[in-house]
Amino acid sequence: MKIPMACADLSNEDIAAVVDVLHSGQLSLGPKAIEFEQQIADYVGVKHAVAVSSGTSALHLLVRALGLGPGDEVLVPSFTFASSVNVLLYEGATPVFVDIIPDTYTLDPVDLERKVTPRTKAIMAVDVFGHPAEWDEILGIADRHALRVIDDSCEALGAEYKGRKLGQFGDAAAFAFYPNKQMTTGEGGIIVTDDDEIAVLCRSMRNQGRDEMGAWLEHVRLGYNYRMDEMSAALGVSQFKRLETFLQKRERVAQMYTERLQGLEGVHPPLVKPYVRMSWFVYVVTLAEGLARDPVMALMAEQGVPTRGYFAPIHTQRHIYERFGDLSGMLPMTESVAQRTIALPFSAIMTETQVTYVCEVLKACLAKVILG
Ligand SMILES: *Cc1c(COP(=O)(O)O)cnc(C)c1O
């Protein structure tokens, strides 16, 4: 049995939507991106959505829109994808790494507040693996210290915190649509916010710094080409119609995994807080302390089951420690968890047979490693 790590759920209707754009001749700056933005803004429950070329470009524009730059410290987890930190480095802001809580791997509010200094300007919170961060605590800290807040929700479209959709928290949020995300546009991302000024700035900067009403060759500020093309937007519009179905299917696959792994020695299935709706991005198990992850992953690969070691902490990446020095030991929970987490194959279209097979292989490989 060959099982992919992730797989987008594409229908004939999705394909036809993209082909229609190609027939229309309008491949960029057209009606599809506008329609997609309206869908996402309505879904999340915010005033503005700005579609862009990737989740990373969405986050980069937010860093620029908030004016973060040299001398500014931004609190960010190390247990995240590279983008959350790279976008700070693009602008010369200083990432200050914050540890995570052991149950959901999101920002630890206690460590967060401990790391606030007079130079701290903002928090980049991450809804890791589709589980919402501890938003009440994070926004409380932001209030007390007058910090701006970006929500890197690139893994969590559709998730809810205490009955409210993610995307409503902080100054603005970013979602992403790479093919392994809950829904895809190929490459793509979107900014959501209730803040009029952030929306105007992001619209301008994604389009080479043009003002909405200005002439084509008039550039009022530094910008980029971060536009979402019409083929991607049409795929987004079409995929969005099935987003709820995707989320439910992913939830069901996650449940199938948890049923099979519950009680298995040496493995902890993911935890979900009772006051959230998880939007399953990946299914990540944690091995018991002292168990080596890499041999388990290697043995599973031999059986045709791909896995990923989500995440390799950012502070242990070469370009980061070469620049900021050796931070090892400063983030004990991040380092402990990161050596023991394994993302299993996961998608909306995984079958029960596939899930069962992955769990059997995991059990067998674990047994081998435990017995030496
Ligand atoms: C996917 C992801 C992004 C954005 O990724 P792109 O590939 O640029 O769309 C950003 N942050 C996190 C945490 C992600 O998982």
Side-chain angles (χ1 to χ4, degrees):
M1 198 178 311
K2 189 140 178 24
I3 299 173
M5 188 62 211
C7 188
D9 186 339
L10 295 171
S11 68
N12 288 332
E13 206 181 315
D14 293 337
I15 293 164
V18 176
V19 172
D20 281 348
V21 169
L22 292 168
H23 284 304
S24 80
Q26 180 134 30
L27 308 188
S28 188
L29 289 165
K32 287 297 170 189
I34 294 167
E35 187 181 349
F36 186 46
E37 290 177 343
Q38 196 57 54
Q39 279 177 333
I40 296 289
D42 290 347
Y43 176 73
V44 170
V46 293
K47 272 165 81 179
H48 308 283
V50 182
V52 292
S53 54
S54 70
T56 306
S57 47
L59 290 169
H60 182 202
L61 292 187
L62 287 175
V63 169
R64 293 254 357 242
L66 296 187
L68 302 171
D72 298 335
E73 291 180 0
V74 180
L75 301 167
V76 63
S78 173
F79 194 73
T80 183
F81 183 62
S83 303
S84 324
V85 176
N86 284 352
V87 295
L88 304 174
L89 302 180
Y90 297 163
E91 294 306 315
T94 307
V96 174
F97 295 109
V98 177
D99 214 349
I100 52 172
I101 48 179
D103 46 5
T104 62
Y105 308 150
T106 57
L107 276 178
D108 175 357
V110 175
D111 196 41
L112 187 68
E113 191 152 33
R114 200 187 288 138
K115 286 186 171 147
V116 174
T117 76
R119 292 175 300 282
T120 310
K121 290 284 156 51
I123 299 169
M124 171 81 75
V126 183
D127 305 302
V128 179
F129 304 151
H131 193 293
E134 295 299 331
W135 282 104
D136 281 348
E137 286 78 3
I138 291 168
L139 295 178
I141 292 164
D143 260 357
R144 281 199 287 285
H145 302 279
L147 307 177
R148 309 298 299 268
V149 178
I150 298 172
D151 179 11
D152 178 348
S153 207
C154 287
E155 302 188 349
L157 181 63
E160 293 172 20
Y161 177 83
K162 300 187 179 173
R164 280 172 64 199
K165 281 234 160 58
L166 294 191
Q168 298 181 18
F169 297 88
D171 291 281
F175 296 111
F177 304 112
Y178 184 75
N180 69 343
K181 309 279 178 177
Q182 287 86 341
M183 59 166 275
T184 188
T185 61
E187 297 285 357
I190 203 161
I191 292 157
V192 293
T193 183
D194 276 323
D195 186 312
D196 299 339
E197 192 191 328
I198 291 176
V200 166
L201 284 172
C202 290
R203 277 183 198 289
S204 169
M205 288 189 293
R206 81 168 162 187
N207 191 22
Q208 306 286 15
R210 295 175 176 106
D211 257 346
E212 206 131 35
M213 293 302 152
W216 186 247
L217 289 179
E218 195 179 327
H219 307 276
V220 298
R221 59 180 62 80
L222 177 64
Y224 310 86
N225 179 359
Y226 281 173
R227 296 182 300 259
M228 176 181 278
D229 67 74
E230 286 287 286
M231 289 75 77
S232 302
L235 182 54
V237 167
S238 183
Q239 284 257 300
F240 176 79
K241 293 181 190 146
R242 287 180 293 142
L243 176 60
E244 246 340 286
T245 313
F246 293 160
L247 297 183
Q248 283 167 20
K249 283 190 188 170
R250 293 174 87 97
E251 166 99 45
R252 200 174 148 263
V253 173
Q255 266 169 12
M256 292 193 293
Y257 265 127
T258 300
E259 279 161 20
R260 284 159 181 75
L261 297 175
Q262 203 74 265
L264 177 64
E265 205 196 313
V267 176
H268 308 294
L271 282 174
V272 181
K273 292 278 173 82
Y275 46 83
V276 310
R277 179 191 188 190
M278 175 104 178
S279 171
W280 291 89
F281 167 55
V282 281
Y283 189 89
V284 176
V285 296
T286 310
L287 301 189
E289 226 145 333
L291 271 180
R293 168 179 79 183
D294 294 354
V296 176
M297 291 174 66
L299 287 168
M300 290 181 77
E302 278 173 27
Q303 306 290 313
V305 176
T307 56
R308 297 270 187 282
Y310 274 157
F311 284 113
I314 304 299
H315 73 284
T316 64
Q317 305 289 336
R318 191 171 81 191
H319 75 113
I320 298 291
Y321 63 69
E322 281 179 357
R323 187 155 162 177
F324 297 101
D326 184 2
L327 300 174
S328 54
M330 313 274 284
L331 301 158
M333 194 51 66
T334 298
E335 287 177 20
S336 161
V337 163
Q339 286 164 20
R340 298 183 285 123
T341 40
I342 302 181
L344 302 178
F346 189 72
S347 73
I349 58 180
M350 254 185 111
T351 63
E352 190 153 6
T353 316
Q354 289 178 320
V355 173
T356 302
Y357 180 71
V358 172
C359 292
E360 290 308 317
V361 169
L362 173 62
K363 276 179 208 172
C365 297
L366 257 178
K368 258 194 199 169
V369 169
I370 290 173
L371 295 174

